[in-house]
Amino acid sequence: MEKISGTAGQVIRCKAAVAWEAGKPLVIEEVEVAPPEAMEVRVKILYTSLCHSDVHFWEAKDQLPIFPRIFGHEAGGIVESVGKGVTDLAPGDLVLPIFTGECGECADCKSEESNLCSLLRVNPNREVMISDGKSRFSINGKTIFHFLGSTFSQYTVVPSGCVAKINPLAPLDKVFILGCGISTGLGAALNVAKPFKGSTVAIFGLGTVGLAVSFFLCFEYLSCLTFYILLKYEMLSFLSYEQAAEGARMAGASRIIGIDLISKKFDLAKKFGVNEFINPKDYDKPVHEVLIELTDGGVDRSIECTGNVDAMASAFECVRSGWGVAVLVGLPPKNAVLKVNPAHFMMNSKALKGTTFGNYKPRSDIPILVQKYMNKELELEKFITHDVQFSEINKAFEYMHQGGSLRCIIRMDD
């Protein structure tokens, strides 16, 4: 356990990667991080990673442009100090900051049906702390705004309800990636879609979330699972078939169908066990109609992980009448509208569900997932594809844009 120096109550000066403008490279700056106020904690970040959500709001193409800002939200670290009223966390605790919270007191937190805390529910447009409407970050008196944890800083301040305390023996450089995408994908499958044995499952988009859906479904649920790997848009075409195909083989899948706009990828995909392929360009009908024909009526479950509204519609259209369930996970553009025919609900008994963070309660459930990893019930290493020092954080963006990057460890100690 790393020791914390006597900095409680003091302003800390440290390095942070600041986004000054939309889409511009982050700049390593010395920032001032104020002490935590009531019901807040200050955390020393040891490891963080880049998530598509960070990129989405950094580019600000269809979101509010809030700058200057410190992005980052999937991370692990140790508590440096706590604010007034915090009794369940102490300096030195090993923790994962989580982008959504669990106050433990509201109706949602007390309900087994919800993980949407009324007080600390995820809000990517919140730029300051809830308690006093102020930022804890500044540079020479200039305010720097927050983002869902702001873990691209060596120290950050977050609400105590947005911190999951974990086993102090956990390997933080592995389990920290449970703070967003992997848990979201796992929970979307196990907590929301809830497939039954022998199900056919369509997964739209195989980034970290989509691969988490497919990879962990193999271990948890299905003895004979058909994965329909749907990469409908070229923006998704960098995603790897390896883990989905491996997971499908372990599940005893008889058919693994890969769909992509770039046919040259199919030869590579064969090496990972994909045995059937569809290029949407080869058809004069929508992909969901092709799937319905191939599966004699539609898939049992679909999970959409791209945030593309057309993909969401296809995910709903392709599920089987009578018991089909589509789950939406991907982050859509601001003001996006999904249009579906209500007859699918009334006459065809299809269901459409949404989920935030895979329906996991951050403080209650994430420590359990960490323990599952330590018990060798979950495998996380395969999601870590790159590793950079904090000074090279912009390389993580390059890796993601180049393709093939699932999770890039950003080591914050330089």
Side-chain angles (χ1 to χ4, degrees):
M1 177 69 69
E2 182 171 335
K3 294 183 179 180
I4 295 292
S5 60
T7 51
Q10 303 175 21
V11 172
I12 290 179
R13 289 177 172 80
C14 68
K15 294 179 182 178
V18 178
W20 291 98
E21 299 179 59
K24 300 294 184 181
L26 306 187
V27 180
I28 302 296
E29 305 275 14
E30 182 179 80
V31 300
E32 296 181 345
V33 185
E37 297 294 336
M39 301 308 297
E40 297 174 357
V41 296
R42 190 161 57 184
V43 178
K44 181 177 182 179
I45 301 299
L46 301 180
Y47 306 97
T48 188
S49 62
L50 178 65
C51 177
H52 277 283
S53 297
D54 297 309
V55 175
H56 193 68
F57 286 89
W58 165 70
E59 291 178 336
K61 293 179 179 178
D62 51 28
Q63 302 294 341
L64 290 176
I66 300 173
F67 298 96
R69 205 174 198 186
I70 298 175
F71 287 99
H73 63 280
E74 188 176 81
I78 53 178
V79 174
E80 176 270 336
S81 60
V82 303
K84 184 178 180 180
V86 178
T87 59
D88 56 346
L89 294 166
D93 285 344
L94 203 65
V95 295
L96 304 186
I98 308 295
F99 64 89
T100 189
E102 181 184 355
C103 73
E105 300 297 329
C106 69
D108 285 282
C109 286
K110 291 180 178 180
S111 171
E112 295 183 359
E113 301 297 319
S114 174
N115 71 331
L116 300 178
C117 176
S118 300
L119 177 64
L120 301 172
R121 184 177 304 186
V122 57
N123 180 1
N125 292 322
R126 184 184 296 125
E127 57 196 41
V128 292
M129 299 300 291
I130 295 174
S131 61
D132 60 3
K134 298 179 181 179
S135 174
R136 303 291 174 259
F137 298 109
S138 63
I139 298 178
N140 297 325
K142 180 179 177 60
T143 295
I144 309 297
F145 295 117
H146 290 255
F147 175 78
L148 300 180
S150 295
T151 61
F152 292 168
S153 174
Q154 292 176 324
Y155 286 86
T156 190
V157 177
V158 294
S160 60
C162 293
V163 173
K165 179 180 176 180
I166 64 173
N167 188 327
L169 300 179
L172 194 62
D173 61 341
K174 303 295 189 300
V175 301
F176 84 93
I177 62 174
L178 287 169
C180 185
I182 291 174
S183 296
T184 297
L186 175 59
L190 305 186
N191 299 334
V192 187
K194 298 180 180 179
F196 50 85
K197 287 189 176 182
S199 294
T200 59
V201 178
I203 302 173
F204 287 71
L206 290 177
T208 300
V209 176
L211 291 181
V213 169
S214 63
F215 191 72
F216 291 123
L217 268 175
C218 301
F219 290 103
E220 298 285 342
Y221 266 89
L222 307 181
S223 60
C224 184
L225 172 68
T226 303
F227 284 89
Y228 293 93
I229 304 170
L230 305 178
L231 305 181
K232 187 176 179 183
Y233 302 95
E234 273 190 48
M235 63 178 290
L236 303 173
S237 62
F238 64 85
L239 302 167
S240 169
Y241 288 93
E242 179 178 2
Q243 293 177 41
E246 179 181 346
R249 287 199 304 270
M250 289 188 291
S254 58
R255 298 170 66 193
I256 307 173
I257 303 177
I259 299 179
D260 201 299
L261 292 172
I262 305 175
S263 298
K264 65 182 181 181
K265 294 186 175 183
F266 295 163
D267 287 339
L268 177 62
K270 289 178 183 178
K271 299 178 181 179
F272 300 115
V274 180
N275 48 41
E276 296 181 51
F277 303 95
I278 297 174
N279 188 326
K281 297 177 183 177
D282 296 337
Y283 295 85
D284 58 0
K285 62 181 68 175
V287 171
H288 69 267
E289 292 184 11
V290 177
L291 282 170
I292 290 172
E293 292 181 3
L294 284 175
T295 58
D296 193 24
V299 300
D300 302 303
R301 301 288 188 268
S302 69
I303 302 175
E304 186 284 323
C305 304
T306 73
N308 185 287
V309 175
D310 290 334
M312 293 178 181
S314 293
F316 182 61
E317 295 280 355
C318 77
V319 296
R320 180 178 294 273
S321 297
W323 62 78
V325 178
V327 179
L328 305 186
V329 181
L331 179 67
K334 183 179 65 172
N335 300 324
V337 176
L338 176 63
K339 296 181 179 180
V340 297
N341 188 334
H344 284 306
F345 302 100
M346 302 160 56
M347 305 298 293
N348 298 331
S349 297
K350 294 183 179 183
L352 180 64
K353 297 183 177 182
T355 180
T356 295
F357 199 43
N359 281 23
Y360 284 122
K361 293 180 183 286
R363 294 197 298 165
S364 300
D365 296 330
I366 298 309
I368 296 174
L369 291 184
V370 169
Q371 197 59 48
K372 282 182 175 291
Y373 169 79
M374 296 181 71
N375 295 341
K376 301 187 184 304
E377 298 174 44
L378 296 179
E379 187 174 357
L380 300 177
E381 286 83 356
K382 291 192 174 188
F383 291 93
I384 300 173
T385 55
H386 296 79
D387 192 321
V388 300
Q389 293 298 123
F390 186 35
S391 59
E392 302 175 314
I393 189 171
N394 287 300
K395 284 188 176 181
F397 287 78
E398 294 174 11
Y399 292 145
M400 182 168 288
H401 283 302
Q402 290 169 1
S405 176
L406 297 178
R407 280 298 182 263
C408 176
I409 295 180
I410 301 169
R411 300 180 181 272
M412 303 293 289
D413 56 357
D414 56 307

